[in-house]
Amino acid sequence: MSDARLDVRKTYKLLINGAFPRSESGRSYEVTSAKGAFLANAAQGSRKDVRDAVTAARSAQAKWWNATAYNRGQVIYRLAEMAESRRDELAEHVSLAEGVNARTGQKTVSASIDRMVWYAGWTDKIAQVLGGTNPVAGPFFNFSIPVPSGVVGVISVQESSLLGFVDAVLAPICVGNTVVALASEARPTPAVLLGEMTSSSDFPGGVLNVVTGFTAELAPVLAAHEDVDGLDLSGVALEVADELAALGAGSIKRVYRPHEQESDSSLRRLRAFVETSTVWHTIGQ
Amino acid sequence: MPTCAPTNSAGTDVSDRQLANSQLGSLQYDPAPESAAIAKLRPSYGLFIDGEFSDGDAHLQFATVNPANEETLSMVTLASAVDIDRAVTVARRAYDKVWSKTTGAQRSKYLFRIARLIQERSRELAVVETLDNGKPIRESRDVDIPLAAAHFFYYAGWADKLDHAGFGAKPKPLGVAGQIIPWNFPLLMAAWKLAPALAAGNTCVLKPAETTPLSALVLAEILEQAELPPGVVNVITGDGSTGAALVDHPDVDKIAFTGSTEVGRMIQQRTASSHKHLTLELGGKGANIVFDDAPIDEMIEGIIDGIFFNQGHVCCAGSRLLVQESVADEVLRRLVRRVEQLRVGDPLDKNTDVGAINSAAQLLRIREMTDFGESEGATRYTSSCALPPKGYWFAPTVFADVAQSHRIAREEIFGPVLSVLTFRTPAEAVAKANNTNYGLACGVWSEKGSRTLWVAERLRAGVIWANTYNRFDPTSPFGGMRESGFGREGGRHGLEAYLNV
Amino acid sequence: MAVLRVASVDHVSTAPLRLVTAEDRHVQIASTIAVPTIENEAQLKALIASLSGVDAVGAEARAAKLSTRSIKKSTKLAAIEMAISMIDLTTLEGADTPGRVASLCTKAMRPDPRDLTVPSVAAVCVYPDLVAHARSVLGSSPVAVASVATAFPSGRASLQVKLMDVRDAVVAGADEIDMVIDRGAFLSGRLGQVFDEVVAVKEACGDAHLKVILETGELVTYDNVRRASWVAMLGGADFIKTSTGKVTVNATLPNALVMLEAVRDFAETAGRTVGVKVAGGIRTSKDAIRYLVVVNETVGSTWLTPRLFRLGASSLLNDLLMQRLKQQRGAYVRADEFSGD
């Protein structure tokens, strides 16, 4: 007779507005490890879930941008603290999802956490790099500041289930946007876990929303949604990306497509989702 | 429309019925002292070299005293040139073997740790700072300590982004930095020096001020807790001779000094023929310029804050008030009223606004200067507040009818003494504000944006505050022009002092 | 190294020395009036335009700094009792009944029936049609009856209707009238109309004293709050009041600060002391004490009396009673220790 303890299995749900609902459609789909073992019945997100996530992101955006840059940095740094303290759990998820060994899993997690720290340190500096005063030819004080585009839809890269996800969502978030992210279709569990961590790390609800499900079904919804200001097309193939970019043109979205070899210290992702706002003020007695 | 003739009645007698039940008139605040025991001070401290505390070579110690009551807080080590040499050697070795090989991402994480630890031990640090410096606990708690932590947080984020700092690709550090800091914001000044230096990849030898060594020593404990590699930061306590030994040491690549213009001049002379990079943050005689359309109540608070915050021990203090002549009388009246309301007393009391003068020497200097002010013919207003019988105290003072040629209009007093002068036009205000060899900070008070910007453009000051004063942020560069020094601390610009660019 | 002992001695000087005394910290109530009589809207507007602006950042910073005052021990006890005596205990609900009002009045007279040293509150505040009932329940108690009027809370009715509202309340026995200014008129620049209405209502009040509600939440900017305060005071207000309590943003410390500064300046130029009432959203003793600190450090002890400062609140009273008991017993107490209404 075995006294083996039965464990309590985890349900992988959506993250919308700081809460964890199942899909409003009630659907779920089977997620397996890279080696084919059953991992979870993840929520199969619907167009309505995407709609709800966009609503949540929009209503959280003004407040997120109104927080001080220092505060935003603190929030992102705390996510790094959370991730570090739960690194083994993350590493296990990565290993299972990506089919890599434990050591590689740990390395991926370390790289992801260091990336979080990198972004945490950008919030109160990006304005100094992208902004500045402009010496116009007249008695005016003229300055340009980078302001966030608003709500950014992220179609996360399919293979890199954690590191790629972190890059794609934290870049827009650290400059003041809020995000609706479609996690990798086949490898969603690390993203869902990271989403859970944002809830315990001072992220206001709605800043990061994570929808799991079928990319082909959900990406067009996100791309066409007119209240989404920016689109990150990392997670789709070239031809599909072209179609989605065309859909996004409907509301003149800012579209980001990753380059083949993007250097780690490239600012492209940060620049993709900011708008330059320039102010003139007269100078005179 | 009916006329309105204001009456002298103060309400009907209906509410007089309440008099029997009400507690009339006064709200005297009971003492609300923070506990000194939170400081957990040791009876004596050694020098922090190579990651641990050790005795000085000559085994000499001196007392550090609480300026509020003249009681000894602890004994600290008087470092000699031998100790300085050991510290610099250790810092050099740590630079060559460890820190120059530490990636930016790693340095970043050390600095984040230090920032977090400061936050976690903030209450303890605030009490230590108040005991050693004499500043009100409310200020240490709400200003000094949070800004120190924020400074480490900010520069932590630069350590792995130096390529983007505007100094070219892969900028290199200078090497070993010798850093000498003043007694007015002990922990904050330590943060202003260490954070950018470490972010840029330098190692440090930090020399805190003679009268305020303690918070730097507690910071050393924090560096231990953060597991910063030994030798990367060394804390060497002592007096002027210790500082001189550091300045003169041939293996120091960089000297950063904050203190008086007099000492800054000496340091610049002594390092002139060496290879050492130098930045100086020196004295000032800040002008707070008030136009007739200033937002009146906030302006009064700003003037008060500009000169009485930190007992006036602030290099960028608004120690001159330049007020538009048309509103001078009204402003002076309100100022005097506000000065009288300042609570002067026990720095550990949470309701204290103005604390103790940091040392007997400084108190003497302040008295000398105010004596001059009187003898020069300015009109003196001094708060009638009671001063404690022991300790170093000076009642907040305002001098009116000050002339541009008076000593109290030209020389830095570094105490709670304001000199009030008038002007007629914006150009005159600018001329008077600039009529000094200093150039650190100014304030401009007006609701007219274009005029504020016009004045700001013409003021020769490294920092200009509009409708506010004494606002500091790690992202905002701070430093002076002319004899207030050179180099900036804070912001992207603050990295320049510690990079070989 | 010897420590130099320096005693802090006053030293005698021969230069012109203007002695500052403790009296200098007080508000100097003008003996000669330095404010012109208002004869027309243009004059009113000119006076209002000459008022200084308010820097929002500075005002909020000052209020925040005052919030850090640490009020403990006997000061806290004194402040709690002072606050209790300054409460206008309020019920302004559509569902108010004579029973509800009677309950409120009983509590107002004797907040803690087991401890008669607890002061009674300053007033009860009700709708006009319940004034007579409140008066009869209160009898000859020193607790005053304050009535809202002038189409409270919106103020959107004709002047005729608003004045009738006031007269009804006065006839029914109201000692105090809390009117609302016409915010629509104010925000569209018709200051003369706002002023005239205050004057008219003051006249209709007779012997009752007049509180003028500015509705700071709808005025939004501190500049507007300062201006509206002056219009109300020039129009004859005995009190200026922050809010109706019926909108999203009611009393805030910075608004109270700006109003107290206006009251101070008015006393120093027009020679009349006007009271301030903060209302809406003040639930805890901590909140109440913060307001008292702002009063203390802006206008001083003259205003620390129910004659010149009021707290419009309902649940606040129980929190004050709880805190008072906690101070006496040394332990936290349960809410049920006191009656719910």
Side-chain angles (χ1 to χ4, degrees):
Chain A
M1 277 296 134
S2 158
D3 282 322
R5 185 185 169 278
L6 206 64
D7 45 2
V8 179
R9 285 191 184 163
K10 188 184 177 103
T11 318
Y12 289 84
K13 300 198 275 179
L14 309 172
L15 170 58
I16 298 181
N17 209 20
F20 298 96
R22 295 179 199 277
S23 168
E24 62 78 40
S25 66
R27 304 174 304 177
S28 64
Y29 72 107
E30 199 173 290
V31 170
T32 62
S33 72
K35 303 205 163 90
F38 172 79
L39 269 186
N41 287 316
Q44 185 187 334
S46 68
R47 58 179 20 245
K48 286 190 181 166
D49 294 317
V50 170
R51 175 202 65 192
D52 291 344
V54 171
T55 305
R58 176 61 66 197
S59 67
Q61 201 272 326
K63 198 155 167 237
W64 179 237
W65 178 233
N66 275 330
T68 61
Y70 176 64
N71 181 255
R72 284 196 296 281
Q74 296 279 287
V75 167
I76 297 174
Y77 184 68
R78 184 127 174 92
L79 177 63
E81 288 182 354
M82 287 294 122
E84 188 79 58
S85 72
R86 292 170 66 175
R87 60 173 300 128
D88 290 339
E89 194 183 344
L90 272 170
E92 201 189 326
H93 276 67
V94 168
S95 293
L96 285 169
E98 298 184 7
V100 296
N101 64 25
R103 214 171 63 115
T104 309
Q106 288 284 349
K107 275 185 73 178
T108 304
V109 169
S110 294
S112 304
I113 293 171
D114 285 359
R115 208 69 183 140
M116 291 175 211
V117 174
W118 194 73
Y119 283 117
W122 264 123
T123 60
D124 54 5
K125 298 168 185 63
I126 195 69
Q128 298 173 313
V129 172
L130 297 183
T133 60
N134 307 304
V136 296
F140 299 93
F141 179 59
N142 180 301
F143 59 99
S144 296
I145 56 176
V147 301
S149 307
V151 173
V152 173
V154 169
I155 299 158
S156 191
V157 63
Q158 298 294 337
E159 304 77 30
S160 176
S161 62
L162 181 64
L163 184 54
F165 181 78
V166 166
D167 241 338
V169 304
L170 284 189
I173 281 173
C174 95
V175 293
N177 298 286
T178 50
V179 164
V180 174
L182 304 184
S184 157
E185 181 176 316
R187 303 171 173 187
T189 50
V192 173
L193 186 55
L194 195 74
E196 287 172 17
M197 288 181 191
T198 60
S199 268
S200 61
S201 64
D202 305 330
F203 263 68
V207 170
L208 172 66
N209 305 277
V210 181
V211 179
T212 52
F214 296 136
T215 310
E217 180 188 339
L218 300 175
V221 177
L222 200 51
H225 195 308
E226 295 194 0
D227 202 22
V228 171
D229 303 292
L231 211 52
D232 177 332
L233 297 178
S234 301
V236 288
L238 229 51
E239 322 77 53
V240 179
D242 289 343
E243 282 168 26
L244 293 175
L247 270 178
S251 59
I252 318 287
K253 286 180 178 54
R254 286 92 176 93
V255 176
Y256 169 87
R257 293 200 233 196
H259 284 162
E260 267 295 319
Q261 298 292 343
E262 196 109 18
S263 132
D264 264 356
S265 77
S266 161
L267 298 190
R268 259 192 90 227
R269 273 210 145 101
L270 292 171
R271 282 188 284 109
F273 302 115
V274 296
E275 315 293 326
T276 300
S277 175
T278 300
V279 177
W280 298 61
H281 195 307
T282 55
I283 300 177
Q285 299 186 61
Chain B
M1 194 166 127
T3 61
C4 162
T7 66
N8 274 321
S9 69
T12 66
D13 59 12
V14 162
S15 39
D16 283 349
R17 286 196 254 174
Q18 299 308 308
L19 285 179
N21 291 332
S22 67
Q23 293 274 354
L24 270 185
S26 80
L27 205 57
Q28 307 288 357
Y29 304 154
D30 275 345
E34 175 65 293
S35 159
I38 289 173
K40 297 192 271 214
L41 290 175
R42 299 193 225 155
S44 88
Y45 289 86
L47 305 173
F48 184 73
I49 303 180
D50 212 12
E52 54 181 22
F53 284 94
S54 55
D55 288 345
D57 177 68
H59 296 278
L60 281 175
Q61 292 215 304
F62 63 102
T64 184
V65 149
N66 181 346
N69 56 23
E70 302 170 58
E71 286 172 15
T72 297
L73 293 167
S74 181
M75 301 297 291
V76 299
T77 303
L78 180 62
S80 67
V82 172
D83 299 311
I84 288 289
D85 185 55
R86 181 160 74 98
V88 173
T89 307
V90 157
R92 172 64 61 195
R93 190 176 63 229
Y95 177 77
D96 288 339
K97 301 231 174 322
V98 178
W99 203 235
S100 63
K101 300 177 166 57
T102 306
T103 63
Q106 293 293 86
R107 295 200 303 274
S108 174
K109 284 185 281 186
Y110 279 116
L111 290 166
F112 272 118
R113 274 190 192 174
I114 295 168
R116 267 286 188 251
L117 287 163
I118 292 176
Q119 282 183 324
E120 284 166 12
R121 292 176 70 168
S122 59
R123 193 168 175 197
E124 177 194 346
L125 285 164
V127 175
V128 169
E129 198 78 310
T130 283
L131 286 171
D132 208 13
N133 170 283
K135 67 174 70 196
I137 186 71
R138 183 190 69 205
E139 304 302 342
S140 339
R141 178 193 71 200
D142 294 346
V143 179
D144 290 63
I145 307 316
L147 277 177
H151 222 81
F152 275 101
F153 271 115
Y154 178 74
Y155 280 105
W158 270 122
D160 55 359
K161 302 173 178 63
L162 294 175
D163 284 342
H164 299 287
F167 301 109
K170 303 202 185 324
K172 297 270 171 289
L174 292 168
V176 175
Q179 304 175 310
I180 299 167
I181 56 178
W183 47 260
N184 58 349
F185 294 92
L187 185 72
L188 184 58
M189 293 297 101
W192 277 25
K193 295 286 181 285
L194 295 176
L198 295 174
N202 303 274
T203 56
C204 302
V205 177
L206 179 78
K207 196 245 157 224
E210 190 176 335
T211 57
T212 56
L214 294 178
S215 53
L217 293 164
V218 177
L219 182 62
E221 290 176 9
I222 282 174
L223 301 177
E224 273 183 303
Q225 277 185 330
E227 293 179 19
L228 191 67
V232 172
V233 172
N234 306 279
V235 180
I236 310 297
T237 50
D239 61 12
S241 67
T242 318
L246 184 55
V247 167
D248 291 342
H249 198 292
D251 200 26
V252 167
D253 301 297
K254 156 81 192 198
I255 292 291
F257 171 78
T258 298
S260 70
T261 297
E262 192 193 324
V263 176
R265 202 173 274 132
M266 275 186 337
I267 292 178
Q268 191 172 2
Q269 280 162 358
R270 282 162 100 119
T271 55
S273 56
S274 76
H275 67 289
K276 296 184 176 78
H277 297 250
L278 181 64
T279 44
L280 300 172
E281 208 275 273
L282 307 176
K285 192 70 181 178
N288 232 329
I289 301 171
V290 170
F291 288 99
D292 59 2
D293 68 339
I296 197 161
D297 291 293
E298 294 72 47
M299 172 268 296
I300 294 292
E301 278 312 303
I303 306 303
I304 294 290
D305 193 67
I307 185 57
F308 300 121
F309 168 66
N310 212 42
Q311 298 69 252
H313 303 323
V314 190
C315 45
C316 51
S319 50
R320 286 183 287 160
L321 167 58
L322 300 184
V323 56
Q324 189 163 348
E325 201 171 328
S326 55
V327 293
D329 288 343
E330 181 59 15
V331 170
L332 184 63
R333 184 184 75 84
R334 287 171 182 253
L335 256 185
V336 170
R337 175 172 67 195
R338 185 69 185 89
V339 167
E340 189 60 19
Q341 291 171 350
L342 289 170
R343 303 175 62 87
V344 181
D346 179 11
L348 274 180
D349 191 313
K350 295 175 209 163
N351 293 323
T352 293
D353 297 323
V354 178
I357 304 303
N358 182 251
S359 66
Q362 190 57 32
L363 180 58
L364 226 48
R365 159 79 181 163
I366 296 167
R367 288 178 164 203
E368 260 171 29
M369 290 304 299
T370 43
D371 285 351
F372 264 117
E374 286 188 28
S375 66
E376 288 179 306
T379 309
R380 174 177 179 167
Y381 297 77
T382 291
S383 167
S384 70
C385 63
L387 297 175
K390 289 177 54 144
Y392 317 125
W393 299 93
F394 195 84
T397 293
V398 174
F399 277 106
D401 309 316
V402 178
Q404 192 72 346
S405 56
H406 285 164
R407 283 187 69 179
I408 55 170
R410 314 199 63 70
E411 293 178 38
E412 189 179 38
I413 299 174
F414 221 66
V417 181
L418 177 66
S419 299
V420 182
L421 303 89
T422 60
F423 68 87
R424 293 162 300 172
T425 63
E428 189 172 43
V430 168
K432 283 187 159 175
N434 284 343
N435 180 216
T436 165
N437 284 336
Y438 290 120
L440 184 50
C442 282
V444 184
W445 296 83
S446 167
E447 292 233 291
K448 188 171 185 185
S450 57
R451 187 197 298 137
T452 298
L453 291 171
W454 185 92
V455 167
E457 254 193 342
R458 286 157 180 73
L459 286 171
R460 246 190 334 255
V463 181
I464 294 158
W465 285 296
N467 291 347
T468 188
Y469 208 89
N470 278 339
R471 290 258 84 82
F472 306 100
D473 192 277
T475 65
S476 181
F478 182 93
M481 297 186 184
R482 306 213 290 173
E483 294 186 18
S484 293
F486 45 80
R488 292 290 175 271
E489 298 182 278
R492 185 183 63 79
H493 303 74
L495 289 166
E496 187 178 343
Y498 293 101
L499 293 170
N500 199 357
V501 292
Chain C
M1 189 171 106
V3 171
L4 181 62
R5 284 194 169 276
V6 182
S8 18
V9 182
D10 290 317
H11 69 265
V12 179
S13 92
T14 53
L17 170 65
R18 205 297 227 155
L19 281 171
V20 176
T21 67
E23 284 311 303
D24 283 302
R25 67 189 299 146
H26 294 311
V27 175
Q28 312 289 340
I29 300 170
S31 45
T32 54
I33 310 301
V35 160
T37 335
I38 303 295
E39 275 160 29
N40 54 51
E41 183 172 45
Q43 247 183 2
L44 176 65
K45 283 190 155 175
L47 194 155
I48 297 301
S50 75
L51 296 174
S52 166
V54 182
D55 186 276
V57 172
E60 287 167 12
R62 174 80 179 134
K65 204 177 227 182
L66 287 170
S67 295
T68 65
R69 291 297 191 213
S70 179
I71 307 298
K72 302 271 182 253
K73 307 189 206 115
S74 70
T75 321
K76 187 171 183 180
L77 203 51
I80 288 171
E81 293 191 347
M82 198 187 290
I84 293 172
S85 74
M86 290 167 167
I87 287 184
D88 282 2
L89 197 58
T90 304
T91 187
L92 294 168
E93 304 303 321
D96 284 340
T97 59
R100 163 83 179 120
V101 168
S103 218
L104 192 85
C105 290
T106 311
K107 178 129 182 151
M109 289 187 283
R110 212 169 264 186
D112 184 356
R114 291 160 306 169
D115 183 351
L116 301 182
T117 66
V118 176
S120 57
V121 304
V124 296
C125 187
V126 295
Y127 272 110
D129 60 341
L130 290 160
V131 165
H133 187 62
R135 178 82 282 145
S136 75
V137 174
L138 289 171
S140 60
S141 144
V143 175
V145 177
S147 173
V148 297
T150 66
F152 177 100
S154 69
R156 297 251 65 85
S158 71
L159 181 58
Q160 202 183 1
V161 164
K162 292 198 270 195
L163 290 177
M164 180 155 314
D165 201 15
V166 172
R167 286 185 202 114
D168 281 355
V170 171
V171 159
D175 302 299
E176 307 175 357
I177 297 291
D178 288 21
M179 73 168 278
V180 291
I181 62 164
D182 184 339
R183 281 87 73 197
F186 182 88
L187 291 170
S188 56
R190 287 173 279 139
L191 299 185
Q193 182 181 334
V194 177
F195 176 90
D196 286 346
E197 287 188 7
V198 173
V199 171
V201 169
K202 174 68 182 161
E203 204 190 323
C205 280
D207 286 335
H209 94 182
L210 175 63
K211 301 195 197 90
V212 177
I213 301 173
L214 309 179
E215 197 68 299
T216 53
E218 288 182 347
L219 298 182
V220 181
T221 68
Y222 300 117
D223 286 344
N224 279 349
V225 171
R226 171 159 292 171
R227 290 172 189 144
S229 299
W230 274 81
V231 172
M233 292 188 291
L234 288 164
D238 297 302
F239 258 74
I240 50 175
K241 176 175 167 183
T242 59
S243 340
T244 59
K246 297 298 182 190
V247 291
T248 341
V249 177
N250 293 295
T252 65
L253 281 173
N255 276 320
L257 175 67
V258 171
M259 288 167 67
L260 286 161
E261 288 166 350
V263 151
R264 176 199 64 199
D265 293 345
F266 190 76
E268 291 191 331
T269 49
R272 188 164 75 85
T273 50
V274 173
V276 172
K277 175 172 171 178
V278 296
I282 305 164
R283 289 188 189 89
T284 64
S285 305
K286 197 163 190 181
D287 291 335
I289 292 174
R290 282 189 169 145
Y291 281 102
L292 292 182
V293 166
V294 175
V295 173
N296 190 37
E297 300 203 33
T298 312
V299 287
S301 48
T302 310
W303 268 258
L304 284 174
T305 151
R307 273 188 40 231
L308 288 174
F309 190 73
R310 299 284 180 88
L311 296 153
S314 38
S315 55
L316 172 65
L317 180 55
N318 269 5
D319 196 75
L320 286 166
L321 291 170
M322 276 172 62
Q323 291 303 316
R324 182 175 178 278
L325 200 52
K326 182 223 158 207
Q327 290 280 99
Q328 290 173 342
R329 282 191 190 166
Y332 292 102
V333 305
R334 248 186 236 151
D336 279 334
E337 193 74 39
F338 301 102
S339 68
D341 61 13

